[in-house]
């Protein structure tokens, strides 16, 4: 039977006394039915059937259960026909009495519109009242003085002797005239827009179409489209909503032994979260018995191996219970592969299928007989079990029992249910129970931690005499017409006791596809998620972890209503005291949680919270005493998990959250979720395995939980923005239009004289401004569809009601009043009546003024609308510009009619279009009205942008090929973030001004060339610098820091022994870039602290340490040192200098140790117009959170390159003059040079290296440097040490075709020891000299080498001096 869309079949069976009736015997059927009056309880029926002979020998009372009742609208299966007796008909049927209208739901926007409408009516009445009072006063006092108005002959509505009548008639006139303040077409336009959004946009969205079930998204109502964009809290069911509701028998525990070797999906997710690797078996290979509802593999139970396990008799009873304790109906031939079971729930079907696979195959079922095909070790046989009674499952009992008679004439009771109810009914005197209770409970906890659904199984053998006595009481309870269900449950309690525990089952319900990603996205959108489930706390917590509802960085609060004291009081039957103690304990827990959250907020600790509460604690939390405290704690948590929740509690929790003022959305898939769905502001039903009851009671229907993200973040957000913009515009244009009428009427002493013609006044809302609002409501879009999912923080705009809040509404209405004042003032001033408009000399009159003003109003309202459009489509152009053109066409067409029809509009376009002032006014006046709005929007966008405007700029830059780092940005639109944005922009302006001042010389402002990669350049781009840093092996954080990420493992350097050498490095960009993980500090040696001077934001200099004092000396040699007096060092290996062999671009003085700037130097030296290429734009816009990098030099200009090349000599050193007797010598070492050349240049013997050997494509462990470049393999260099304890370093170049040279400054040992003179830094152009210390990372230089190998788009060839075989 299908009931209200239920897909699971329900068992319907007739009475045993009537099951044999046929066509020939139905005429003898006699009896009397006594039943309850008509009611709406679908699943309950109380009635008796009094059978008369010949149906029974004597008159007999037979109970009628709900299983014997067919409801209107159901469908029959597994039977051809039935004979039935109609009990309820027409309006008395249970289905009809349940067919009540769902609760009426209206969105928050609609309720706000109602309030605005009331305000507009109040404004209208105030205008009318003001006008009628003033006009009545003027008529009574001044009308007789104006003789030309013929006051003695005036009609009653202008009779000065009757001011009361004048006031009333004027009030009515004004009410009709000012009625345009009320947007009559508002609700019609809203409904048209919502219907299109529901049917076309939501219903036809392929991203919410489930192909497996052929189920699209369905909007069952159009009232709540915009409410989808304002959701704060989602209340969700678990089974069938977060999970698939496709149950599979996965594990079990029998006689204290756990069986099943599988790993659940939740276990895998939790292991990945903790960084663990699980040995996942191959399910397809290991589980040859797998089929639908069965995913169990353990060789100890498969086949007949269970008979070899300990306690085979217990295992046999376990399998029989699975096959007998159910209401499933076999459907198909008695072949295991072809048999299908129709069960009331997927859990029940999984248990029956498991029994079949284990060898207890249910092949046939009647009302009283169940036939099993049992495969036992001795034989396989068909066994019939007589079903004596079935005690059905319900939410109160939480268990199901069946009483059967075996072929051995034993009466057995098989029971399955929740562990709590089964453990209460176990035989405490049975030794096996005491042994199994703890072990089985531990297994159930383990299964629950893996996300499995557990059921406890037990049985007992009944004494025949006891059963006969009990059965009489049971039949009497079922015949009762008063409280039948309660009496049946009470009688069932008498037989369901002294049970023997068999074990437990564990069934897996896998998560739906995309649930974790969906929940993460919703959390980033600022939506709280409350999951209401009937599972145990352990199971719920692990499922929460698996679906990303709970994360490791959350602070968890677990609230339970049980304790040792409470359980003791309950055991002593002191229930009232136990209840009070539980409530007090829960209250103290909630207060403690509230204080913890408050303390974290005061300490500004950025953390999120998760609240887990079990069903017992929730029962007290929903009490009037604690509900407000529970709500205050719950809304401060990002996730709330309620366990062991009943359907009634789901609805109560939903109603409680609604009282907080949040927009709530409830989502579920079963009949137990209907109350929750109808209570929430928005109800979403999932058309799943449990039927369509939730979907039929919902407002929106989807097939999968993951479809919530496009439904809310795309359709909800766009619907909210479209409808709010449309409504705001409608109020704006009507107030604007009505205010012009009111202001002009004020000039006529509120006499009711209109400035507009009656005909086109009525067409203002219907024709001339009707299309544009509809187009905005249908097609307006600020961003592409994917941006809503990519940037979930955009959804917070709707949560904050950013576009329809009181300030937003006041802004629109204030703009309307401003535009009305400007239009009336400028038009009446410009269309002065002393000007002549025609050759006849007649001046402008009221009709001409009205046409001019109406034209200006039409153009102004559409220009105002065009300013809020972000993405133009052809429909926008047609609606806006077409409406303006339509007005002019109307003037032409209507003015051509005879004067009897066109009246004062007869050929009026000829009179107004003939003079230039008309065209001037319809251009100047709208522009004047738009200028304040334009400047306000521009300034607000620049200083206080909303999140979608930032995303718009990101989208523009990405279309231009740039990369924007949005890591850590949440789109917060709070005032603090906005002030930070203002200060960041102001700081950048100050920085640019300071930089310009620094470049000003004695002849004024610097006019030289500034490289585009330099921060002083107008086209400097942070992303270009980020790209260069990435290729160099570095990353730039959002704060502007350089983070070292070593990826290379080769280094080429000749280390110096301990000494006190100094180095010379460049300031400016180098210091600002590497103020933390500096390459310069990584390449310095010695045992002193390396320091670097660089320019601050305000142009000053200060010293910044680059390496910690505890660095190991001597690990890496000096890269740049100084030479005093121009003398050459006596040795390389034994002195204080060192030699570096690597690739370099033509040397850039001061930037040789910076791979990022050198990388950019290489790119722009080969392609100076790089920033002008279309595929390599360099934008002036930078991410607001990124610090601008300040340079004190131009970063390596052409002059610096020429200077470096001039100072570079052949293989050897070249000294250049310096102040104070210091002359740093640049040693130009050609790649592939020999030790002899090096010794000739430096006067030192060769030395060996302790560094690691580089592994390259052509590496050689014994390659050496020869005298000429051609005498060594290209791309390799080697320096061998002398016996005096030097070091040896080998380096393999990755790209030998791009090898070049590197200029190294080698200092004199004596000069390094003595230190520079005080004026050295000043004479050296701002370079600072300070002690250096070694760095422990030997991979820095190789990263520098790799950074210089950036390919260019033009593919320029290497110059001869860049060739590895060129000689200098």
């Amino acid at each position: 039977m299908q009931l209200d869309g239920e897909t699971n079949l329900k068992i319907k069976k007739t009475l045993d006394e009537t099951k044999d009736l046929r066509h020939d015997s139905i005429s003898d059927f006699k009896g009397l039915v006594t039943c309850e009056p008509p009611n709406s309880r679908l699943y309950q029926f109380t009635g008796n059937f009094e059978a008369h002979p010949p149906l029974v020998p004597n008159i007999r009372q037979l109970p009628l259960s709900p299983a014997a009742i067919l409801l209107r609208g159901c469908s029959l299966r597994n039977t051809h026909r039935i004979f039935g007796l109609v009990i309820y008909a027409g309006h008395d049927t249970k289905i009809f009495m349940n067919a009540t209208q769902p609760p009426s739901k209206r969105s928050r926007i609609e309720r706000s519109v109602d309030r605005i409408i009331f305000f507009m009516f109040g404004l209208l009445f105030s205008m009318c009242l003001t006008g009628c009072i003033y006009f009545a006063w003027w008529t009574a006092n001044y009308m007789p003085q104006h003789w030309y108005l013929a006051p003695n002959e005036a009609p009653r509505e202008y009779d000065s002797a009757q001011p009361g009548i004048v006031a009333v008639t004027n009030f009515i006139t004004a009410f009709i005239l000012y009625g345009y303040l009320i947007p009559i077409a508002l609700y019609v336009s809203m409904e048209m827009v919502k219907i299109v959004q529901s049917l076309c946009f939501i219903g036809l969205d392929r991203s919410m179409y489930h192909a497996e079930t052929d189920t699209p998204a369905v909007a069952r109502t159009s009232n709540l489209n915009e409410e989808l964009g304002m959701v704060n809290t989602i209340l969700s069911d678990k089974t069938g909503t977060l999970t698939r509701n496709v149950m599979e028998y996965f594990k079990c525990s029998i006689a204290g032994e756990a069986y099943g070797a599988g790993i659940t999906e939740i276990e895998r997710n939790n292991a990945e979260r903790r960084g663990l690797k699980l040995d996942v078996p191959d399910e397809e290979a290991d589980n040859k018995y797998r089929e639908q509802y069965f995913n169990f593999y353990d060789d100890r139970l498969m086949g007949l191996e269970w008979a070899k396990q300990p306690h085979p008799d217990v295992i046999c009873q376990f399998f029989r219970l699975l096959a007998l304790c159910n209401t499933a109906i076999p459907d198909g031939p008695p072949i295991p592969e072809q048999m299908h079971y129709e069960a009331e729930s997927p859990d029940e079907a999984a248990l029956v299928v498991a029994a079949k696979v284990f060898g207890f195959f249910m092949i046939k079922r009647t009302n009283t007989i169940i036939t099993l095909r049992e495969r036992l070790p001795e034989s396989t046989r068909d066994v019939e079990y007589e079903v004596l009674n079935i005690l059905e499952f319900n939410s109160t009992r939480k268990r199901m029992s069946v009483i059967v008679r075996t072929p051995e004439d034993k009466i057995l009771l098989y029971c399955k249910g929740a562990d709590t109810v089964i453990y209460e009914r176990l035989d405490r005197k049975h030794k096996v129970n005491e042994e199994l209770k703890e072990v089985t409970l531990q297994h159930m906890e383990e299964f629950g931690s893996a996300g499995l659904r557990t059921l406890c199984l037990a049985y007992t053998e009944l004494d025949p005499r006891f059963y006969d006595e009990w059965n009489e009481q049971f039949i009497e309870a079922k015949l009762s017409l008063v409280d039948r269900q309660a009496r049946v449950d009470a009688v069932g309690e008498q037989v369901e006791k002294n049970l023997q525990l068999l074990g437990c089952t564990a069934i897996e319900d896998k998560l739906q596809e995309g649930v974790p990603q969906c929940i993460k996205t919703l959390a980033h959108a600022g939506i709280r998620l409350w999951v209401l489930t009937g599972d145990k706390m352990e199971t719920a917590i692990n499922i929460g972890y698996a679906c990303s509802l709970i994360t490791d960085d959350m602070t968890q609060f677990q609230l339970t209503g049980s304790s040792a004291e409470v359980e003791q009081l309950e055991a002593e039957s002191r229930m009232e005291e136990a209840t009070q103690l539980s409530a007090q304990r829960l209250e103290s827990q909630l207060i403690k949680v509230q204080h913890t959250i408050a303390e974290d907020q005061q300490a500004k600790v950025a953390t999120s919270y998760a609240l887990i509460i079990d069903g017992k604690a929730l029962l007290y939390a929903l009490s009037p005493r604690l509900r407000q405290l529970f709500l205050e704690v719950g809304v401060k948590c990002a996730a709330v998990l309620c366990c062991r929740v009943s359907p009634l509690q789901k609805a109560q929790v939903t109603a409680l959250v609604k009282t907080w003022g949040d927009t709530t959305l409830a989502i579920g898939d079963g009949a137990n979720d209907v109350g929750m769905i109808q209570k929430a502001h928005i109800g979403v039903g999932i058309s799943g395995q449990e039927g369509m009851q939730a979907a039929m009671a919902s407002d929106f229907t989807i097939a999968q939980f993951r479809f919530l993200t496009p439904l809310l973040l795309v359709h909800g957000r766009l619907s909210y923005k479209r409808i709010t913009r449309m409504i705001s515009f409608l109020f704006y244009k009507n107030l604007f239009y009505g205010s012009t009428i009111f202001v002009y009427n004020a000039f006529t002493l509120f006499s009711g004289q209109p400035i507009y013609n009656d005909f086109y006044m009525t067409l203002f809302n219907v024709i001339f401004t009707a299309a544009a609002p509809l187009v905005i409501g249908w097609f307006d879009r600020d961003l592409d569809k994917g941006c809503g999912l990519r940037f979930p923080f955009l959804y917070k705009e709707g949560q904050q009601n950013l576009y329809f809040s009181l300030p937003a509404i006041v802004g629109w209405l204030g703009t309307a009043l401003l535009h009305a004042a400007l239009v009336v003032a400028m038009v009446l001033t410009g269309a002065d009546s002393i000007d002549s408009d025609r050759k006849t000399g007649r001046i402008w009159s009221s009709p001409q003024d009205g046409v001019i003003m109406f034209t200006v109003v039409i153009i102004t309202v559409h220009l105002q609308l065009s300013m809020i459009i972000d993405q133009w489509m052809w429909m926008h152009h047609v609606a806006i510009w077409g409406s303006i053109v339509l007005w002019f066409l109307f003037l032409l067409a209507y003015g051509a009619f005879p004067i009897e029809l066109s009246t004062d509009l007869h050929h009026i376009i000829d009179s107004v279009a003939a003079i230039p002032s008309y065209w001037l006014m319809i251009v100047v006046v709208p522009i004047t009205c738009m200028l304040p709005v334009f400047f306000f929007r521009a300034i607000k966008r620049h200083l206080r942008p909303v999140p979608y405007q930032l995303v718009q700029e990101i989208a523009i830059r990405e279309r231009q090929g740039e990369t924007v780092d949005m890591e850590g940005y949440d789109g917060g639109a709070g005032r603090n973030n906005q002030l930070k944005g203002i200060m960041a922009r102001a700081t950048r302006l100050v920085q640019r001004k300071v930089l310009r001042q620094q470049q000003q010389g004695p002849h004024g402002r610097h006019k030289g060339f500034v490289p585009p990669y330099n921060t002083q350049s107008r086209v400097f781009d942070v992303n270009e610098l980020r790209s260069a840093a990435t290729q160099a092996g570095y990353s730039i954080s959002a704060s502007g820091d350089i983070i070292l990420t070593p990826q290379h493992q080769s280094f080429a350097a000749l280390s110096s022994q301990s000494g006190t050498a100094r180095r010379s490095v460049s300031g400016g960009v180098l210091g600002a870039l590497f103020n933390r993980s500096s390459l310069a500090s990584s390449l310095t040696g010695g045992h002193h602290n390396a320091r670097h001077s660089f320019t601050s934001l305000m142009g000053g200099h200060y010293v910044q340490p680059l390496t910690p004092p505890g660095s190991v000396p001597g690990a890496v040699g000096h890269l740049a040192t100084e030479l005093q007096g121009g003398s050459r060092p006596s040795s390389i290996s034994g002195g204080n200098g060192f030699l570096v062999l690597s690739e370099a671009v033509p040397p850039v003085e001061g930037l040789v140790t910076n791979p990022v700037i050198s990388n950019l130097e290489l790119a722009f030296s080969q392609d100076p117009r790089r920033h002008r290429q279309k595929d390599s734009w360099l934008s002036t816009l930078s991410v607001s959170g990124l610090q601008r990098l300040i340079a004190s030099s131009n970063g390596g200009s052409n002059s610096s390159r020429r200077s470096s090349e001039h100072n570079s000599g052949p293989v050897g050193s070249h000294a250049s003059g310096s102040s104070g007797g210091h002359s740093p010598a640049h040693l130009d070492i050609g790649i592939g040079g020999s030790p002899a050349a090096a010794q000739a240049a430096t006067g030192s013997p060769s030395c060996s290296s302790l560094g690691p050997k580089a592994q390259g494509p052509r590496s050689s462990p014994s390659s050496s440097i020869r005298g000429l470049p051609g005498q060594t393999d290209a791309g390799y260099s080697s320096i061998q040490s002398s016996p005096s304890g030097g070091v040896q370093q080998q380096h393999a170049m990755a790209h030998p075709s791009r090898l070049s040279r590197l200029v190294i400054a080698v200092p004199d040992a004596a000069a390094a020891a003595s230190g520079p003179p005080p004026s050295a830094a000043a004479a050296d152009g701002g370079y600072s000299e300070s002690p250096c210390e070694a760095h422990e990372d030997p991979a820095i230089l190789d990263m520098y080498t790799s950074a210089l190998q950036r390919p260019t788009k033009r593919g320029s060839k290497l110059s001869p001096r860049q060739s590895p075989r060129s000689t200098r």
Side-chain angles (χ1 to χ4, degrees), residues 731-807:
F731 279 116
Y732 157 80
K733 73 180 183 67
N734 280 76
L735 182 59
F736 176 25
Y737 180 55
S739 298
T740 59
I741 301 174
F742 175 78
V743 174
Y744 179 81
N745 202 30
F747 285 100
T748 63
L749 301 178
F750 298 104
S751 60
Q753 174 67 34
I755 190 174
Y756 304 124
N757 180 272
D758 294 337
F759 190 62
Y760 64 72
M761 280 180 67
T762 58
L763 298 180
F764 177 80
N765 288 317
V766 180
I767 300 295
F768 301 126
T769 59
L774 294 177
V775 171
I776 291 296
W778 287 334
F779 305 110
D780 187 45
R781 187 172 62 180
D782 54 355
L783 294 164
D784 293 336
K785 179 180 178 181
C787 290
L789 300 176
R790 182 184 172 192
F791 303 101
F793 57 79
L794 294 173
Y795 190 79
K796 297 179 181 179
E797 298 176 348
Q799 293 175 333
Q800 300 167 1
N801 197 14
L802 202 60
Y803 303 109
F804 209 66
S805 59
L806 182 61

Side-chain angles (χ1 to χ4, degrees), residues 236-259:
S236 172
D237 179 35
K238 182 190 73 67
T239 303
T241 303
L242 300 179
T243 60
R244 302 178 185 178
N245 202 18
V246 178
M247 308 300 178
E248 291 182 336
Y249 189 93
F250 203 77
K251 290 184 179 181
C252 64
S253 173
I254 309 175
E257 186 71 23
Y259 297 95

Side-chain angles (χ1 to χ4, degrees), residues 804-835:
F804 209 66
S805 59
L806 182 61
I809 297 172
V810 171
W812 279 96
L813 299 183
T815 303
L817 296 177
L818 173 64
H819 288 176
L822 291 175
V823 168
V824 173
M826 296 184 70
V827 170
L828 294 184
T829 302
D832 197 339
S833 59
I834 63 174
D835 295 333

Side-chain angles (χ1 to χ4, degrees), residues 127 330 684 1087 1137:
M127 287 182 176
V684 178
H1087 57 275

Side-chain angles (χ1 to χ4, degrees), residues 757 759 893-908:
N757 180 272
F759 190 62
Y894 190 69
F897 281 90
I899 194 170
E900 294 82 6
L901 297 176
S902 59
T903 62
D904 55 1
L905 295 181
H906 184 68
H907 293 291
I908 195 170

Side-chain angles (χ1 to χ4, degrees), residues 1000-1022:
Q1000 290 180 0
H1003 300 289
R1005 190 174 179 179
H1006 175 67
K1007 302 295 184 180
F1009 170 74
V1010 179
Y1013 58 82
N1014 193 286
T1015 56
Q1016 301 175 24
S1017 173
R1018 291 183 297 103
V1019 293
F1020 170 78
D1021 188 81
V1022 172

Side-chain angles (χ1 to χ4, degrees), residues 102-106 218-221 223-225 227-228 231 233-236 654 658 663-669 673-686 693-702 708 711-712:
S104 178
K105 296 182 180 180
R106 301 188 68 211
V218 178
R220 299 174 57 84
T221 179
N223 293 336
L224 305 174
N225 293 350
E227 198 86 342
L228 290 172
V231 175
T233 304
I234 294 177
L235 299 103
S236 172
T654 305
K658 283 180 63 177
T663 301
T664 57
L665 181 146
I667 179 171
D669 71 316
D673 303 320
V674 171
M676 175 179 67
I677 289 174
Q678 292 185 344
K679 277 287 183 182
H681 292 100
I682 306 171
V684 178
I686 292 183
Q693 275 192 306
M696 296 177 68
S698 64
D699 306 305
F700 298 90
T701 303
I702 56 178
L708 268 185
L711 181 64
L712 298 182

